[in-house]
Amino acid sequence: MSSSVSPLAPKTVPDMPVIAGIRLATAEAGIRYKNRTDVLLAVMDKGTAVAGVFTKSKCPSAPVEWCRARLKGGKARALVVNSGNANAFTGKTGRASTALTAKIAAKAVGCSESEIFLASTGVIGEPLDATKFDGVLGRLVETAEPGNYLAAAKAIMTTDTFPKVATATVKLGKAKVTINGMAKGAGMIAPDMATMLSFIFTDAPIAPAALQALLKSGVEDTFNAVTIDGDTSTSDTLLAFATGAAAAQGAPKISRASDPRLKAFVKAFNQVLANLAEQVARDGEGARKLVEITVEGAKTKASARKIAMSIANSPLVKTAIAGEDANWGRVVMAVGKAGEPADRDKLSISFNGIRVAKSGARDPSYDEAQVSEAMKAPEIAIKVSLGLGKGRDRVLTCDLTKEYVAINGDYRS
């Protein structure tokens, strides 16, 4: 956790409303950090539905394996998250730690271990001492309150410089339902399913299968369209919990993601995901520029996505932006190496609305002074037009600065 907040951090933090059926608490368990909270417990009412998407890494963490195995049950009573230790690449010891954590949590909450969901973030390869949760989780069950979202988001931070929360309220049937979310992540970010860690809570009465479908669809143009450094974490976990409490106020019970009554809810749900994803990009380690990359005129949307990610993950593009240099040559390089259909002589590129390249060459009206001034802005929009079709996509990233190297050069120290 950094002592200086990213200059790209949101100027305001939303008031996070209470969601019936959810109680939160945090504590200092001494996992790795001193004098700060590092464990979060969320307690859910009986009958809470759960859905999740996880990293596609072939070296997943022990908590990811635990959650995957229990997701098919569709029900959750508690979520335990710790920061400071990812419990990844920890072998049998890591699996034993997750089992012990779940056992301690289940006893404290009074539920089955299969209803406990776990997530860990921090250093990879270090054993996690789950005995540190003994006693702590019991106290958290007693002190958990139906609020505390900002405190919860702070407890799961590692190199983050600010807690990431978002909320939305929408009508479902005759009832007003709420969607609250939190996320953590600032580095090792190139999600291939969801995000580093993110948790969504709602009181909408949505069945597990429907919630799973909404989540899987929702991440594609939100968390899966964000990259900081091109590295997919071993621990990426996005879990959604639906208590169903709004049914008592007239919200209809939803069993299918295609239910037309979900239209407004889906929009709000995806807005929360998008908000959190953008906050992750704004908090990229050492970031000073938020970068939006739009690729249009591609053969397909999938092709546009690959090209946009090639640009977003290019260290040369990202360092040029950090240096406030509209180096379109590096963008051309990233387009060309993506392996997707492209025609050099149809390519056009703009920075913050100023076209710098057209039809495969520098734009005739190019003005160095005008572009240099535009590159001083904290938010940079790069637009690439391929002129080949109707495929279009957008991804978010940030610049690459000396601070990124400093943060990651001594991360374990």
Side-chain angles (χ1 to χ4, degrees), residues 194-224:
T195 185
M196 292 33 65
L197 293 184
S198 186
F199 310 106
I200 311 298
F201 304 91
T202 182
D203 52 358
I206 302 178
L211 189 62
Q212 183 67 39
L214 293 182
L215 194 63
K216 186 176 181 180
S217 173
V219 299
E220 286 307 315
D221 289 328
T222 57
F223 285 122
N224 275 358

Side-chain angles (χ1 to χ4, degrees), residues 34-47:
K34 294 181 179 179
N35 302 317
R36 57 152 286 188
T37 56
D38 59 2
V39 61
L40 157 67
L41 174 68
V43 182
M44 278 80 78
D45 283 357
K46 291 182 179 179

Side-chain angles (χ1 to χ4, degrees), residues 2-67:
S2 174
S3 58
S4 60
V5 177
S6 168
L8 303 173
K11 302 303 181 186
T12 60
V13 178
D15 292 327
M16 302 294 287
V18 167
I19 291 180
I22 303 289
R23 296 183 296 123
L24 304 169
T26 63
E28 297 179 22
I31 301 299
R32 178 168 181 251
Y33 307 115
K34 294 181 179 179
N35 302 317
R36 57 152 286 188
T37 56
D38 59 2
V39 61
L40 157 67
L41 174 68
V43 182
M44 278 80 78
D45 283 357
K46 291 182 179 179
T48 296
V50 61
V53 287
F54 308 93
T55 181
K56 291 181 181 178
S57 169
K58 300 302 182 182
C59 300
S61 69
V64 165
E65 291 182 324
W66 174 275
C67 290

Side-chain angles (χ1 to χ4, degrees), residues 239-252:
L239 294 169
F241 303 93
T243 68
Q249 280 69 53

